[in-house]
Structure formats: C-alpha cells, structure tokens
Amino acid sequence: MESELSFLISVLIICADISAGVLGIEAEIDQRKQQHHHDPQQHCRNQSSGAFAEGVAALVLLSIVHVTANVLGGYAYIRSKQDFKRSTANKILAVSFFVVSWIFFAVSYSTLMVGTLANSRSNRFCSLRSRWLFLVGGIFCLGHGLVTSAFYVSALAASKEDKENVQQEDPANRRGA
C-alpha cells in the first residue's frame, strides 16, 4: 500500500509541475500576443491579464508541489564527513536532489514572479522587462517536477534504509521498548 501511495504522489508531483510549466509557457504566449497589439506610446498599457492569471496559477502550483514534496519526503541531511562516508547511495541522492530541487524552485519561482508582476495592473512594475521570463520559468518548472520527484523517491528509499539499519543494529533495544 505504501509503495502505491508513493508512486501516486510521485506522479502527482510530476503532473502538477508539468501543469505549472505549461501555464508558464501559455503565459508567455499570451504576453507575446498582447505585445503585438499595443501602442508603443503607452508602455504601461501592454500588460496581459491572461498572462497575469496564468502566472499566478503557475506560481501557486509550483509552491504547492514544492511544499508537498518537502513535507512528505522528509528531511534528508548529512551532518559530517563521517556521516557522508556511512551514508547509503539513496541518502546521498536524496540530499543532492534536495539541493537541486531548491535551485530549480528558486529560479522558476523568481522568473515566474517577475513575469507575473510585469503583467500586473500596477504602474510600479511598468519598467520590468519580462521578455522570456515566463518561458524560462515554465521550462524550469518542468525540470523541477523531475528533480523533485526524484528527491521524493530517493528520500523515501533512504528513510526505509535507515529504519532497516536501526532494526538490524539494535535488536535488544527494540525488544525492551
């Protein structure tokens, strides 16, 4: 049962990040359509409400996926060089994918946020250049889905290995508890 649930969560992570990536790319397309129909004299009037809505939806999906994967995947860490030497391959992979998922999250979230703010109705963000930001954010969302899913799977495998190692190392404490 646990493995089916893990597989389902992994697939949902990938699907939600694909949806966020597609929304980011669609926002770029909507923004391009709006820029072709604007008056050059009115720079602040070329914001696209469709691109803004799709950008917000992509940001929300990306955030939900990232938080969900990090909460359900657990916290994988290596504290010292000795801990690194004793670590299993799954734990090293989990830590690596954890770091890379945060990098992908930071890049995709920041590019989507700047693109979304540039398409907001506020005049404060008129000067933001948003060329290619939605596209870059959407592509990084797709990568985030793969990396975050890999983190989730490797973190669960590392957690399972840690539980098995504790049971093998200390059977006397287990009986006494």
Side-chain angles (χ1 to χ4, degrees), residues 80-176:
S80 65
K81 201 175 207 181
Q82 291 174 345
D83 197 18
F84 179 75
K85 289 179 181 178
R86 288 183 289 157
S87 297
T88 61
N90 282 326
K91 189 164 191 169
I92 293 170
L93 278 174
V95 171
S96 301
F97 284 130
F98 179 74
V99 171
V100 174
S101 75
W102 271 99
I103 291 169
F104 270 83
F105 176 74
V107 171
S108 58
Y109 193 85
S110 60
T111 54
L112 288 173
M113 179 61 77
V114 172
T116 302
L117 288 175
N119 283 289
S120 70
R121 295 289 177 200
S122 174
N123 287 335
R124 289 186 346 187
F125 304 110
C126 272
S127 63
L128 286 177
R129 298 283 180 213
S130 60
R131 185 179 180 125
W132 303 107
L133 288 177
F134 283 125
L135 183 64
V136 170
I139 290 170
F140 270 88
C141 280
L142 298 174
H144 180 264
L146 296 175
V147 170
T148 304
S149 180
F151 159 70
Y152 176 73
V153 170
S154 60
L156 288 179
S159 174
K160 187 176 179 181
E161 285 176 350
D162 286 345
K163 287 178 186 175
E164 289 173 0
N165 288 341
V166 167
Q167 289 176 356
Q168 288 176 359
E169 288 176 1
D170 213 4
N173 284 346
R174 190 167 185 257
R175 282 186 227 140

Side-chain angles (χ1 to χ4, degrees), residues 11-33:
V11 168
L12 286 175
I13 287 170
I14 292 173
C15 289
D17 261 334
I18 287 173
S19 299
V22 168
L23 282 169
I25 294 168
E26 286 291 322
E28 180 72 30
I29 292 169
D30 281 353
Q31 181 179 334
R32 296 276 174 213
K33 287 179 185 175

